[in-house]
Amino acid sequence: MFKINQLVFVFLLCVSLNAQTLRKYSNEFMNIGVDAAALGMANAMTASTNDVNSGYWNPAGLVHLEDHQLSLMHANYFANIAQYDYIAYAKPIDDESAWGISLIRFGVDDILNTTELIDSQGNIDYNRISLFSTADYGFTFSYARKLPVAGFQYGVNAKVIRRIIGKFASSWGFGFDAGIQFEKNDWQYGLMIRDITTTYNVWNINEKEYQKIADAIPGQNKELPESTEITAPKVQLGLSKKFIIRYDYSLLAAANINMLFTKTNDLISTRFASIDPALGLEFGYTDLVFLRAGVGNFQNIQQIDNTNKVGFQPNVGLGFKYKGIQVDYALTNLGNQSASLYSNIFSVKIDLGLFRN
């Protein structure tokens, strides 16, 4: 008999894990990162971000915008099974403030639905197979403003989360982020708190459709998953400095400390918090060509013999900028040192002021 294990796996992965209301990993698609330039530097952007993508990395950085900008990104994950897309727009309001909006989609499309493969007479009919998609959407509105204290700026995000698993289940979620940046003596400091009030998701499960896949494993999954899910806050601390070398050359050095208030496999992990450091470098020539490298995602990975190995994710990147149009590329997980799969990522950033008459 043809089994529907693929469908069971997808559904249980996306929904049944909600059995714990407060989870270590929730809405993780919002933590992948955006912009190939940032990903090439291992996401160490909390302190140095200063463009349209600041709405994601630290909304306080939006105050550095001189004109309105547009950013686009596409990436494939898990051997092209999943598609990750991002678009953002931001502009200054005045000399003291700015705003932006962004949309993230992480989805797996054309999944085989085999729940009706066998008809009422017990016959296998491949014409009864249909396709469905599972997709996560994150819409963010950002606002930033300079503080009366010189060198300080703050920013806030309001987020709406929409998650859809075919016609089996869907959810709405709402949450907030807050960030601050400080500049002194050419050093930049940043603090970003994601899901500062926790992000609350409410699931609506189609019981009829759920029962079709629950019955695929006799005696299991008889109870519906819980309908609520809470994303716990995460804290990111950043430090960066840009060095100018002989006028034409520059070197941006950045570091992040990412904290999650639960015990995980991060490099430093306690019952109170887990800490994952990240380091990034960007070498630039006349603000035209950029070479980037970074390392992060340090994880304690258990081996087959039950010993632990420290895995990490190296990244490299390349960028070109000409007349306000910047094209960036990043290769993440170079050398397969991390447990995650590598990905090729492309992004484009455009200063829309170029198109004014």
Side-chain angles (χ1 to χ4, degrees), residues 268-343:
I268 302 172
S269 184
T270 68
R271 291 185 177 181
F272 172 71
S274 298
I275 299 175
D276 174 30
L279 302 171
L281 294 172
E282 178 187 76
F283 176 79
Y285 172 67
T286 65
D287 200 32
L288 177 67
V289 181
F290 305 90
L291 296 175
R292 306 180 183 96
V295 60
N297 194 22
F298 291 90
Q299 299 286 306
N300 293 305
I301 303 173
Q302 189 173 44
Q303 307 298 301
I304 297 178
D305 59 1
N306 292 326
T307 60
N308 285 329
K309 173 186 175 182
V310 176
F312 58 93
Q313 182 171 320
N315 312 278
V316 294
L318 179 66
F320 299 94
K321 183 178 180 180
Y322 181 70
K323 291 186 176 180
I325 299 177
Q326 182 169 328
V327 179
D328 296 295
Y329 164 77
L331 175 64
T332 65
N333 191 28
L334 180 69
N336 198 30
Q337 295 293 324
S338 171
S340 59
L341 300 178
Y342 73 89
S343 296

Side-chain angles (χ1 to χ4, degrees), residues 103-123:
L103 175 66
I104 291 175
R105 181 189 186 270
F106 187 87
V108 179
D109 299 307
D110 298 331
I111 302 171
L112 294 177
N113 181 354
T114 59
T115 56
E116 299 180 355
L117 177 65
I118 302 174
D119 62 25
S120 58
Q121 283 75 42
N123 300 315

Side-chain angles (χ1 to χ4, degrees), residues 35-340:
D35 181 30
L39 294 167
M41 295 178 63
N43 299 351
M45 301 299 295
T46 304
S48 62
T49 183
N50 59 5
D51 58 19
V52 59
N53 300 303
S54 298
Y56 178 88
W57 296 111
N58 187 341
L62 289 173
V63 299
H64 297 288
L65 284 171
E66 297 180 358
D67 209 326
H68 46 177
Q69 289 184 343
L70 176 70
S71 181
L72 302 166
M73 189 192 81
H74 173 75
N76 297 322
Y77 282 86
F78 310 120
N80 295 332
I81 294 175
Q83 308 295 315
Y84 182 57
D85 296 287
Y86 161 79
I87 182 171
Y89 169 82
K91 65 173 296 185
I93 299 174
D94 50 38
D95 292 338
E96 303 294 324
S97 59
W99 69 273
I101 55 174
S102 66
L103 175 66
I104 291 175
R105 181 189 186 270
F106 187 87
V108 179
D109 299 307
D110 298 331
I111 302 171
L112 294 177
N113 181 354
T114 59
T115 56
E116 299 180 355
L117 177 65
I118 302 174
D119 62 25
S120 58
Q121 283 75 42
N123 300 315
I124 296 177
D125 183 358
Y126 292 101
N127 293 322
R128 297 167 63 91
I129 295 176
S130 59
L131 301 175
F132 74 97
S133 298
T134 175
D136 299 329
Y137 299 87
F139 177 81
T140 302
F141 175 81
S142 306
Y143 174 79
R145 188 170 185 85
K146 293 181 180 179
L147 289 168
V149 181
F152 278 92
Q153 53 261 353
Y154 73 91
V156 292
N157 289 335
K159 301 186 296 187
V160 177
I161 307 297
R162 176 64 168 166
R163 305 179 67 184
I164 302 172
I165 308 174
K167 55 186 177 182
F168 302 100
S170 62
S171 76
W172 287 98
F174 304 91
F176 296 90
D177 305 327
I180 192 168
Q181 287 182 333
F182 172 60
E183 305 168 23
K184 186 175 183 180
N185 298 328
D186 296 326
W187 285 89
Q188 290 82 42
Y189 307 86
L191 169 66
M192 174 68 166
I193 306 178
R194 299 186 181 275
D195 307 299
I196 189 170
T197 59
T198 71
T199 295
Y200 189 77
N201 284 69
V202 178
W203 284 89
N204 178 28
I205 300 172
N206 187 322
E207 297 186 24
K208 181 180 178 181
E209 295 296 330
Y210 174 80
Q211 197 60 42
K212 292 179 181 179
I213 62 173
D215 289 339
I217 306 177
Q220 298 186 25
N221 305 316
K222 295 303 180 183
E223 295 184 4
L224 289 174
E226 289 189 8
S227 59
T228 59
E229 175 185 3
I230 297 176
T231 305
K234 303 176 183 65
V235 175
Q236 296 173 313
L237 297 169
L239 172 69
S240 70
K241 184 174 183 179
K242 189 172 185 178
F243 302 89
I244 304 299
I245 306 169
R246 295 183 179 178
Y247 301 102
D248 291 335
Y249 302 93
S250 65
L251 179 65
L252 174 64
N256 255 37
I257 295 178
N258 306 310
M259 299 177 60
L260 182 65
F261 295 99
T262 187
K263 188 175 179 62
T264 67
N265 291 330
D266 287 342
L267 182 63
I268 302 172
S269 184
T270 68
R271 291 185 177 181
F272 172 71
S274 298
I275 299 175
D276 174 30
L279 302 171
L281 294 172
E282 178 187 76
F283 176 79
Y285 172 67
T286 65
D287 200 32
L288 177 67
V289 181
F290 305 90
L291 296 175
R292 306 180 183 96
V295 60
N297 194 22
F298 291 90
Q299 299 286 306
N300 293 305
I301 303 173
Q302 189 173 44
Q303 307 298 301
I304 297 178
D305 59 1
N306 292 326
T307 60
N308 285 329
K309 173 186 175 182
V310 176
F312 58 93
Q313 182 171 320
N315 312 278
V316 294
L318 179 66
F320 299 94
K321 183 178 180 180
Y322 181 70
K323 291 186 176 180
I325 299 177
Q326 182 169 328
V327 179
D328 296 295
Y329 164 77
L331 175 64
T332 65
N333 191 28
L334 180 69
N336 198 30
Q337 295 293 324
S338 171
S340 59

